[in-house]
Amino acid sequence: MYGGKKVAISNEYLKGVYAQAEKRNPNEKEFLQAVSEVLESFEGVVAKRPDIVKSGIIDRIVEPERMITFRVSWVDDNGNVRVNRGYRVQFNSAIGPYKGGLRLHPSVNASIMKFLGFEQTFKNSLTGLPMGGAKGGSDFDPKGKSDGEVMRFCQSFMTELSKYIGPFTDVPAGDIGVGGREIGFMYGQYKRLRGTVDGVLTGKGLSYGGSLARTEATGYGLCYFTEEMLNDKGLSFKDKTVVISGSGNVAIYAVEKATQLGGKVVALSDSNGYIYDPNGINLPVVKQLKEVERKRISEYVKLVPGSIYTEGCRGIWTIKCDIALPCATQNELDGEAAEILIKNGVRAVAEGANMPSTPEAIELFLKNKVLFGPAKAANAGGVATSGLEMCQNSMRLSWTFEDVDAKLKEIMKNIYNNASAAAKEYGMEDNLVAGANIAGFMKVADAMMACGVAY
Ligand code: NDP
Ligand code: 2IT
């Protein structure tokens, strides 16, 4: 049982793969949740492609190539020595160097790292760019820390991580708790230790090798994907009411693009609670509060008349909307929330966060014909633009915002079309969960078969 839903795998071979994963990763519920969702999509693959089964590709793809854990010691502003645990999961390098973000949040553990690294493998393949899957981070909590403390943590973290990364081996980026400030501190330390200016991180500042539109990319890409999914059914963002959870990097730029596309975003949240603004979110206020002042979302109501703040982040899904974009964290939208959204007439749900919907919620959306864009496909715009940043660094060139944005849009459109086509080909029309899993998997499987049983 995961998130109120029984694991539904009927093929004996796939059942065996899942049983092995359970045995190897006991109590890692997020990782097993991600694995079960993918294996549930593979019944058709196993039937059609005995060569994939024979090569043990599915047995191999659920096991990370490498999992690195390390101690991160640093000194706080009061002179106390603090200790955190750092991780890098190098999940799969079949189609390119390991690529994926770094998360700094107290909830970080091996299970969360592995679920993110596993999903990243499929997501990166879907972008069409040559990037393998990885994830990393630490249980360090950046909240309430001074810039100096964050810098000392990041330098210590990178001192160890630098041994395992490089532009042709592993290219980290941001995720929860890691934005421009943290990437800058980490990049500075990497450069100092290695003595090379090789662009090893993405999400860099524009003055030292970053790409225009990377900051906006995940939120924008999410909306391009959602618009494509809506257009396919004769719908669009225009005049739709939109609810977006979270108020970090992904949420902020999802608000911006959804509004540009004609939608009205009426709610945002953080881990403490949510705001409702019937007049449409005032984005400059949110950017100032969150990006500049690093304050709580509750402060919004002091600045914007007519808006309301409610304690508790889960209540956000009770707001009536046409489109819901969960952009905070894993398992933030459960079966109960899905039922309320459906009862309130939601037409589309697309995941900006990684694995924000529980298996029960996804099952309800699919059963009730709600258009559903799974994270691996819908939020791939961030890493895709990281791939474009790598490309610009290699070329020693910088593209314009318009160039990068146009490429991002094209990539999101292709991801939608490929996921949709794969779902149809495997007899699960309109099931983009299965479509994205299969389309992402095929390229990785082909590369693994071509390269022999090396990993
Ligand atoms: P940020 O750190 O910028 O923002 C995270 C937001 O989510 C904050 O509003 C935060 O609230 C909220 N949040 C975090 N943890 C929890 C929790 N346990 N419960 C409730 N709310 C929570 O991160 P991003 O915007 O970059 O990431 C958001 C999601 O998008 C994550 O799932 C990430 O993996 C995914 N993602 C990010 C990409 C990127 O390029 N940045 C790319 C693809 C996916 P609070 O401040 O209270 O913690
Ligand atoms: O989950 C994700 O795709 C990210 N956090 C972005 C990773 C990246 O390498 O840009």
Side-chain angles (χ1 to χ4, degrees), residues 175-436:
D175 193 78
I176 290 177
V178 176
R181 176 181 63 170
E182 293 74 18
I183 292 290
F185 292 150
M186 289 184 196
Y187 190 66
Q189 183 73 353
Y190 174 87
K191 210 149 56 75
R192 181 177 174 196
L193 288 164
R194 297 280 284 259
T196 54
V197 183
D198 54 26
V200 73
L201 300 174
T202 59
K204 296 184 291 297
L206 296 177
S207 56
Y208 61 95
S211 172
L212 284 161
R214 175 61 187 91
T215 304
E216 293 83 355
T218 311
Y220 277 25
L222 170 68
C223 292
Y224 294 146
F225 181 94
T226 308
E227 184 76 345
E228 208 55 42
M229 179 170 81
L230 290 163
N231 286 174
D232 203 18
K233 303 293 172 192
L235 301 166
S236 75
F237 265 104
K238 187 138 185 40
D239 300 328
K240 300 293 187 303
T241 301
V242 186
V243 165
I244 299 181
S245 65
S247 49
N249 172 263
V250 180
I252 286 174
Y253 292 95
V255 175
E256 189 161 286
K257 186 52 71 179
T259 309
Q260 285 171 14
L261 290 169
K264 185 181 184 189
V265 183
V266 296
L268 278 177
S269 62
D270 60 23
S271 56
N272 295 108
Y274 66 94
I275 51 160
Y276 172 63
D277 187 343
N279 299 315
I281 294 292
N282 182 330
L283 196 56
V285 169
V286 175
K287 283 186 178 175
Q288 176 66 24
L289 283 175
K290 287 291 180 180
E291 293 185 331
V292 181
E293 298 174 20
R294 298 179 188 275
K295 288 193 172 151
R296 307 308 297 160
I297 200 67
S298 55
E299 299 289 316
Y300 181 93
V301 299
K302 295 183 189 157
L303 302 167
V304 183
S307 61
I308 302 163
Y309 175 73
T310 309
E311 276 293 329
C313 53
R314 286 183 179 253
I316 193 169
W317 307 119
T318 61
I319 298 169
K320 186 174 163 53
C321 63
D322 305 302
I323 299 167
L325 305 176
C327 294
T329 195
Q330 64 275 355
N331 292 325
E332 56 165 311
L333 197 170
D334 60 13
E336 203 182 318
E339 271 172 12
I340 298 170
L341 282 167
I342 292 164
K343 197 161 63 71
N344 284 339
V346 75
R347 307 293 294 273
V349 177
E351 299 184 318
N354 286 307
M355 208 167 77
S357 312
T358 65
E360 191 182 24
I362 296 175
E363 193 175 36
L364 284 164
F365 291 140
L366 295 179
K367 213 159 66 193
N368 287 278
K369 304 269 175 240
V370 174
L371 302 177
F372 182 73
K376 289 184 195 83
N379 74 30
V383 74
T385 307
S386 280
L388 300 177
E389 182 173 330
M390 290 164 74
C391 187
Q392 292 168 81
N393 290 167
S394 298
M395 296 167 81
R396 269 79 171 138
L397 283 175
S398 303
W399 298 330
T400 64
F401 188 97
E402 290 70 27
D403 277 346
V404 180
D405 190 39
K407 287 184 169 66
L408 167 65
K409 204 171 189 173
E410 190 60 27
I411 289 171
M412 298 317 294
K413 196 174 163 170
N414 288 339
I415 293 176
Y416 175 76
N417 289 334
N418 291 341
S420 176
K424 204 167 175 183
E425 186 186 339
Y426 283 83
M428 290 174 280
E429 195 162 355
D430 291 336
N431 181 342
L432 296 174
V433 176

